[in-house]
Amino acid sequence: MTAVTDIEPISVEELHEAVEQIVSEGGPFAVVPKEIRGVHYDRVFALSEMSLRDVLASKTVEFASSTLIVYGEERYTTAEVWTRSMRFANWLNSKGIGPGDNVAIAMRNYPEWCMAFIGIVASGATVVPLNSWWQGEELRYGVETAETKLIVVDDKRADMLFPFKEDLGLTLIAGRDEVVGQDAVLRAILED
């Protein structure tokens, strides 16, 4: 393995050349001239009209069998993550949640965090990631400010939000393991 100290710095010319490869036609961040609302731009990302859901879907096809998430001994391929995320998106839509709705995630970095994020985006709702270091009153403030009624939580955040659940009209979705005051368990939805 090469140590970082063994890597030669690149020149400005090499950097510009690398950037040009990335933004050239066929590159991952290809740019093209485009007119947007009457204003001409010389360089706009060619894929800028794709939604995050569209980008994720296209990359799922491209990297379906590649490992995307590693958590301890658990491994999830890109296709598995997409399939599970779409189950959550469909579940959200079946509950009437979609464009115009805010869905929060308040949990540590479990694989389900990523699947919840992708599922919320795919449902058309807006993801509201809440800081997992926040305490009870901070979480309450975040929930109230974001005007979210459904939150994917882990056990620690559920314990802090439970005292406010009824007052705020919250629906708590347990992210990985069952939690106090849960209305559903994400892991069961993802595996359904």
Side-chain angles (χ1 to χ4, degrees):
M1 177 176 238
T2 304
V4 174
T5 56
D6 296 336
I7 299 172
E8 291 291 322
I10 64 171
S11 68
V12 172
E13 292 80 23
E14 290 171 315
L15 176 62
H16 288 297
E17 186 177 304
V19 169
E20 283 306 314
Q21 283 181 325
I22 292 170
V23 299
S24 65
E25 186 176 334
F29 298 100
V31 292
V32 296
K34 187 171 188 174
E35 187 172 308
I36 301 173
R37 291 187 286 278
V39 177
H40 178 77
Y41 296 92
D42 292 329
R43 298 176 75 151
V44 174
F45 290 112
L47 299 178
S48 64
E49 293 184 10
M50 291 179 71
S51 69
L52 179 55
R53 182 193 186 282
D54 294 339
V55 171
L56 294 171
S58 70
K59 291 303 175 184
T60 294
V61 171
E62 188 177 345
F63 298 103
S65 62
S66 299
T67 300
L68 181 64
I69 297 175
V70 175
Y71 181 75
E73 297 302 312
E74 298 174 37
R75 303 287 184 273
Y76 299 93
T77 66
T78 304
E80 289 171 326
V81 170
W82 181 257
T83 299
R84 290 167 182 247
S85 301
M86 292 310 98
R87 288 181 184 141
F88 187 47
N90 292 333
W91 184 88
L92 289 168
N93 290 154
S94 76
K95 302 296 182 196
I97 296 169
D101 295 314
N102 296 331
V103 178
I105 303 174
M107 63 187 288
R108 62 180 287 198
N109 293 337
Y110 287 124
E112 290 81 8
W113 195 106
C114 297
M115 296 175 208
F117 183 95
I118 295 168
I120 295 165
V121 167
S123 77
T126 300
V127 180
V128 179
L130 298 174
N131 188 329
S132 63
W133 288 97
W134 281 353
Q135 299 301 304
E137 286 299 324
E138 294 164 312
L139 286 168
R140 180 183 180 129
Y141 173 79
V143 167
E144 287 177 320
T145 302
E147 298 178 356
T148 185
K149 297 294 180 193
L150 190 141
I151 307 173
V152 181
V153 295
D154 60 14
D155 56 344
K156 188 173 180 181
R157 266 50 61 181
D159 289 344
M160 288 186 262
L161 285 165
F162 184 70
F164 314 121
K165 180 183 178 192
E166 191 173 314
D167 186 39
L168 298 177
L170 300 177
T171 299
L172 298 181
I173 308 300
R176 174 162 270 248
D177 301 312
E178 294 193 8
V179 301
V180 63
Q182 73 187 27
D183 296 290
V185 179
L186 179 62
R187 193 162 222 192
I189 295 166
L190 299 177
E191 295 173 358
D192 204 5

